[in-house]
Amino acid sequence: MDAEEFRRRGKEMVDLVADYLENIEDRPVYPDVEPGYLRSLIPTEAPQDPENYEDIIKDVERVIMPGITHWHSPNFFAYFPTASSYPAMLADMLCGAIGCIGFSWAASPACTELETVMLDWLGKMLQLPECFLAGTHGQGGGVIQGTASEATLMSLLAARCKAVRRIQATNSDMSEMEILSKLVAYTSDQFCATLGTTPSCAFDKTEELGPLCNEENMWMHIDAAYAGSAFICPEFRPLLNGVEFADSFNFNPHKWLLINFDCSAMWVKKRADLIGAFKMDPLYLKHENQESGLVTDYRHWQIPLGRRFRSLKMWFVFRMYGLNGLQAYIRKHVVLAKEFESLVRADKRFEICADVVLGLVCFRLKGSNELNQNLLKRITQCREIHLVPCQLSGRFVLRFAICARKIESHHVQKAWQHITQLTFELLQEPEH
């Protein structure tokens, strides 16, 4: 493919993507395939000779689309949102074209510097304490990780390294292995201090946990993977109170802030704690500016060596939506979740199982776990809408998460009508 064909095919791809997203609700949200379906649809070996681009595109519809769960469909109410927007997609295209590997400032200065500034922008949107911002002289700073799981692991390893060094400073006769054998990580069943748990979007009391951690010289990491996006709205910002006690904090703009995967924002109060645990400085990665106080080498802030130019997505989205546009997007989803909650509460056959704070509604049919399992099975088999369950206090609960960028009230109303119709059919069966 030469540049001229790339121009033509690129325009065709933009049209294909736009058509897919604009008509996505016409597709069954959940695929009707069995495990192994794809292997029989394609050859067992790669082709010896080049194939036509037209044939590849035809096979996208024939091979790929039947096995796709359409996460951006307004009929998708499972898990949590996965963010998507046209500005983010365009930025990702440019990221792929530039193709730099930003393991150091020298490897591509803009890749590093834009990320530092974007994490400061986002930190200010969240009203994070000044100590978490890099600025030009701060001790903290932000970094884009791939997932919240990576951010949590980075925090855990940095905390361990800091504890070992602190103990060795006063107990020089203790070996690292001896110290490691005595270290303890304190967690709940959600692993760390969590703002917006995955099952029910519950919030830990970080204003109570934080002072205790500080008094005991324990590293506190706060994970707000889903809910963190909402904290850009003043009315939801109090949910983040207590972050001032944390050593690290992260959330996923790639869930609910219109920045497509992968983009997990992480901040540390003292970047030296992170760098001290992961610094890797072979001669071939050194450069003459690395000792400058204005230079960040993000390879010391992450597990992989290389990294993509992910901050381009943030830059495009923040500029094209603005803070007001992003806040309006969050608020719309919260309103729609409240609308669904009101529909559930109006039907005496159902109950709400957790406080509806943001865009997630946990509900169930009054009755046994088996009854609710059967209802979810029918919902899944119909493929009209997609939900997933959780378990709360031993009860099987259905989760209804407002996810899609283009969702409207009529999608919520239609989903509820579908649920109630299947409920009626289920309850008509003799055993119920």
Side-chain angles (χ1 to χ4, degrees):
M1 182 180 291
D2 58 20
E4 189 57 38
E5 185 180 4
F6 175 71
R7 292 178 193 275
R8 186 172 80 257
R9 300 303 188 186
K11 293 171 184 175
E12 292 173 1
M13 181 58 73
V14 168
D15 285 340
L16 187 153
V17 169
D19 288 344
Y20 165 72
L21 292 174
E22 292 304 300
N23 298 290
I24 195 170
E25 66 181 289
D26 295 336
R27 297 174 181 266
V29 65
Y30 194 71
D32 184 19
V33 296
E34 298 294 329
Y37 90 95
L38 190 145
R39 184 172 289 274
S40 65
L41 299 178
I42 60 176
T44 57
E45 297 179 355
Q48 292 290 330
D49 298 312
E51 296 187 8
N52 293 325
Y53 180 81
E54 290 88 347
D55 292 337
I56 298 171
I57 292 299
K58 289 177 183 177
D59 279 349
V60 169
E61 195 63 45
R62 182 181 69 89
V63 177
I64 303 302
M65 286 302 176
I68 293 293
T69 299
H70 298 285
W71 280 65
H72 301 290
S73 168
N75 299 315
F76 182 94
F77 303 100
Y79 311 109
F80 277 131
T82 178
S84 175
S85 67
Y86 292 125
M89 283 184 258
L90 291 173
D92 238 1
M93 185 184 296
L94 181 58
C95 171
I98 293 173
C100 62
I101 309 297
F103 46 68
S104 70
W105 178 87
S108 221
C111 181
T112 292
E113 296 199 10
L114 186 64
E115 183 164 338
T116 302
V117 175
M118 288 302 100
L119 269 294
D120 273 4
W121 276 20
L122 185 52
K124 291 174 183 176
M125 291 183 200
L126 297 168
Q127 300 178 46
L128 286 182
E130 186 75 21
C131 56
F132 284 102
L133 306 181
T136 56
H137 56 271
Q139 294 185 35
V143 59
I144 301 175
Q145 304 288 0
T147 65
S149 303
E150 290 177 40
T152 301
L153 178 60
M154 291 293 294
S155 299
L156 184 64
L157 296 177
R160 185 181 70 174
C161 181
K162 185 177 182 180
V164 168
R165 292 180 179 179
R166 184 180 69 244
I167 295 169
Q168 285 182 328
T170 55
N171 299 271
S172 57
D173 57 328
M174 290 185 69
S175 68
E176 181 175 337
M177 290 305 300
E178 186 179 2
I179 296 171
L180 289 175
S181 69
K182 298 179 183 298
L183 296 181
V184 175
Y186 292 89
T187 74
S188 69
D189 60 4
Q190 308 296 320
F191 191 85
C192 61
T194 307
L195 299 178
T197 59
T198 299
S200 64
C201 198
F203 292 81
D204 284 331
K205 296 180 179 180
T206 51
E207 289 181 288
E208 297 178 15
L209 290 171
L212 177 63
C213 290
N214 289 177
E215 289 169 14
E216 298 296 331
N217 207 10
M218 296 165 56
W219 182 297
M220 184 168 86
H221 176 67
I222 296 178
D223 181 352
Y226 160 67
S229 296
F231 303 155
I232 67 171
C233 299
E235 64 269 34
F236 299 123
R237 175 56 178 79
L239 294 169
L240 186 54
N241 289 349
V243 72
E244 62 271 17
F245 300 110
D247 296 276
S248 54
F249 164 72
N250 84 277
F251 84 98
N252 293 344
H254 68 228
K255 277 192 168 68
W256 204 13
L257 210 59
L258 295 165
I259 300 167
N260 53 307
F261 190 87
D262 57 344
C263 183
S264 184
M266 175 187 181
W267 290 266
V268 289
K269 191 172 287 182
K270 294 184 178 179
R271 57 179 176 264
D273 292 339
L274 207 58
I275 295 170
F278 294 94
K279 189 167 186 177
M280 201 272 291
D281 232 2
L283 181 61
Y284 59 84
L285 294 181
K286 291 184 177 181
H287 54 90
E288 60 183 7
N289 293 300
Q290 69 180 34
E291 301 304 325
S292 167
L294 299 178
V295 168
T296 297
D297 282 345
Y298 277 123
R299 70 179 180 276
H300 305 315
W301 297 53
Q302 62 178 18
I303 292 173
L305 175 63
R307 59 201 344 268
R308 298 186 301 115
F309 200 167
R310 292 177 289 200
S311 57
L312 277 173
K313 297 184 290 190
M314 302 177 81
W315 195 43
F316 275 44
V317 169
F318 293 163
R319 294 182 68 184
M320 294 198 72
Y321 279 88
L323 179 56
N324 289 339
L326 295 172
Q327 290 172 337
Y329 179 71
I330 297 292
R331 288 167 177 150
K332 176 182 176 181
H333 278 202
V334 175
V335 167
L336 291 175
K338 287 294 184 181
E339 179 179 349
F340 185 80
E341 179 191 13
S342 68
L343 293 171
V344 176
R345 291 191 182 279
D347 191 323
K348 300 305 180 184
R349 298 172 298 177
F350 289 87
E351 59 184 331
I352 296 292
C353 303
D355 291 341
V356 179
V357 180
L358 299 176
L360 175 68
V361 182
C362 293
F363 72 107
R364 71 194 302 272
L365 267 173
K366 294 176 181 176
S368 67
N369 284 345
E370 182 183 7
L371 180 65
N372 283 276
Q373 289 167 350
N374 288 337
L375 175 58
L376 181 61
K377 184 177 181 180
R378 287 172 180 248
I379 291 171
T380 302
Q381 289 175 340
C382 285
R383 301 188 297 132
E384 292 288 333
I385 60 174
H386 187 36
L387 278 66
V388 293
C390 68
Q391 190 170 45
L392 299 177
S393 301
R395 298 193 302 169
F396 188 89
V397 173
L398 306 185
R399 296 169 74 263
F400 188 93
I402 303 297
C403 293
R405 175 175 56 87
K406 295 191 65 178
I407 189 170
E408 300 291 346
S409 175
H410 68 86
H411 296 112
V412 173
Q413 296 283 341
K414 181 180 176 182
W416 178 243
Q417 291 170 7
H418 183 67
I419 291 169
T420 54
Q421 177 60 37
L422 292 177
T423 298
F424 174 78
E425 295 171 4
L426 176 63
L427 295 178
Q428 293 302 304
E429 294 182 353
E431 63 267 29
H432 300 301

